Amino acid sequence: MPVLTVEVLYTFFLVFVVLRSAVSKKNPDNKEYFPIAIAFTVLAGAYGAGAVSGGCFNPAVAIGLDVSSAHLNGAYWCWLYTAFEFLGAGLAAGIHTFLETSESEMAKKCLSEFLGTFVLVATVGFNVLGGGNALSIGASLMVMIYALGGVSGANFNPAVTTTLALTKKLEMSWVAPYMASQIAGGLAAAFFYYGIHGKAFPLGPGKKASGDAYGWGAVGFAEIMYTFVLCFVVLNVACQGTSSVYAKGGKATQMYGLAIGFCIVVGGFAIGPISGGSLNPAVSFAIDTSHAIHGGKRWLNCVAYSCFEVIGASVAAGLYYVVRDGMKEGLLPINKKEKNYGAI
């Protein structure tokens, strides 16, 4: 059942991203990013769920693998895989249809934030418990940004919501619903990966090569620094308005998800051994809660982590005001004679 359950989740993930990035009428016509989004969905799922199910997410793959080895084990599992993969595809179609047709902005935005955070935190859990890597986690964030950016703005992180609210990119009335949806999505994902693997992992300082644990000063600095990087990149690549996202190399609207997702990859590799590289209060709460339930440990580290992450988000908002001061819609002239303008 754990095998078939993760096949449902990541087939849903794959089909949902296809529908939202390549088919949705709500996304712009110039969806040049959709092949990258679809490919990185498979990458995220393969590292995340590969240790559990092998990571098929496709009846053609499941049947091909099973039939080619029929002389060894028979062809049996592919039919179960196929049934559950169609279930995942059906769920994706249903939720996509709801997002396309519902007239309730609150329902669509909250569902978007819940789903994006759920996929992100589930992929974090599966990679940590299954021996994956930060590239898979960053990929899961990147593709859900492309899939749901047009619905809710794709925050999936209370720290990002904080920095957007502080810079007036997000109305204050949306802060509480967004954060509630993000925390709920993270907790649901934590119980999901805990149910699949039967174990959890701690949130806290990592260990040095000597075997001693890093101090909370090092953990705090790491989380503040890389949450700042994440939030600052979000502000500067995704929040400049239509007139400021054009540069000579092409439209930056095609690249913002890639830029944001790779902040997680960089942060994961850079500070993973120090703090775990959470960079997200929803991730912190989810990891700490599942571990507290599993091991009967004290539930407090997520509070400290969340404080560090909100500080990083606030610093990003403050510096954004400094570097963008005096700029009109994020543009500065490159060559006054030629009157050319470029993205900053």
Side-chain angles (χ1 to χ4, degrees):
M1 188 52 65
V3 167
L4 299 175
T5 303
V6 297
E7 284 293 315
V8 171
L9 172 63
Y10 282 99
T11 305
F12 161 83
F13 183 28
L14 173 60
V15 175
F16 187 71
V17 169
V18 171
L19 290 170
R20 299 301 306 164
S21 65
V23 178
S24 173
K25 296 177 181 178
K26 304 295 183 182
N27 278 340
D29 293 332
N30 54 337
K31 298 185 289 285
E32 297 172 10
Y33 55 76
F34 77 89
I36 297 177
I38 296 167
F40 272 87
T41 305
V42 178
L43 184 149
Y47 279 113
V52 180
S53 71
C56 290
F57 322 137
N58 183 336
V61 173
I63 293 170
L65 289 174
D66 217 19
V67 170
S68 67
S69 62
H71 62 289
L72 299 175
N73 303 307
Y76 167 72
W77 287 105
C78 62
W79 308 115
L80 280 174
Y81 270 60
T82 296
F84 279 79
E85 287 157 357
F86 273 109
L87 174 59
L91 290 172
I95 294 178
H96 167 72
T97 301
F98 173 79
L99 293 175
E100 291 286 289
T101 59
S102 174
E103 296 181 359
S104 171
E105 287 299 312
M106 177 67 75
K108 289 192 293 185
K109 290 179 184 293
C110 289
L111 177 60
S112 169
E113 290 298 309
F114 177 92
L115 277 177
T117 311
F118 180 92
V119 169
L120 171 62
V121 175
T123 306
V124 169
F126 286 131
N127 274 281
V128 173
L129 294 171
N133 58 55
L135 179 59
S136 171
I137 298 168
S140 70
L141 174 62
M142 180 192 84
V143 300
M144 289 306 275
I145 288 172
Y146 282 134
L148 292 169
V151 180
S152 67
N155 292 193
F156 312 147
N157 184 337
V160 171
T161 298
T162 298
T163 203
L164 293 179
L166 290 175
T167 52
K168 300 179 182 178
K169 306 295 183 182
L170 179 71
E171 294 179 14
M172 291 300 297
S173 60
W174 286 108
V175 171
Y178 270 39
M179 289 188 177
S181 302
Q182 292 155 3
I183 297 295
L187 290 173
F191 292 124
F192 183 82
Y193 71 66
Y194 174 71
I196 296 295
H197 280 278
K199 56 184 178 180
F201 53 96
L203 176 75
K207 291 186 177 180
K208 305 176 185 178
S210 63
D212 299 327
Y214 284 96
W216 278 99
V219 170
F221 179 79
E223 287 292 317
I224 290 170
M225 174 60 72
Y226 281 91
T227 306
F228 157 78
V229 170
L230 171 63
C231 294
F232 193 66
V233 169
V234 169
L235 287 170
N236 284 279
V237 303
C239 301
Q240 292 310 302
T242 349
S243 59
S244 63
V245 293
Y246 293 92
K248 291 182 178 179
K251 297 173 183 176
T253 47
Q254 307 294 340
M255 302 303 293
Y256 69 94
L258 195 63
I260 297 167
F262 269 83
C263 290
I264 303 299
V265 179
V266 170
F269 282 117
I271 65 169
I274 300 171
S275 68
S278 174
L279 317 182
N280 183 334
V283 173
S284 299
F285 271 87
I287 292 173
D288 211 25
T289 301
S290 61
H291 185 252
I293 293 172
H294 171 69
K297 304 294 183 181
R298 185 174 60 178
W299 179 88
L300 274 178
N301 285 359
C302 60
V303 177
Y305 269 67
S306 297
C307 291
F308 296 143
E309 290 150 3
V310 169
I311 290 170
S314 303
V315 174
L319 188 59
Y320 175 80
Y321 276 117
V322 172
V323 299
R324 293 287 176 179
D325 183 45
M327 297 183 185
K328 184 178 180 181
E329 295 183 346
L331 297 177
L332 282 180
I334 292 176
N335 186 323
K336 290 184 179 179
K337 291 182 180 179
E338 297 177 4
K339 296 182 181 180
N340 290 331
Y341 292 83
I344 303 303

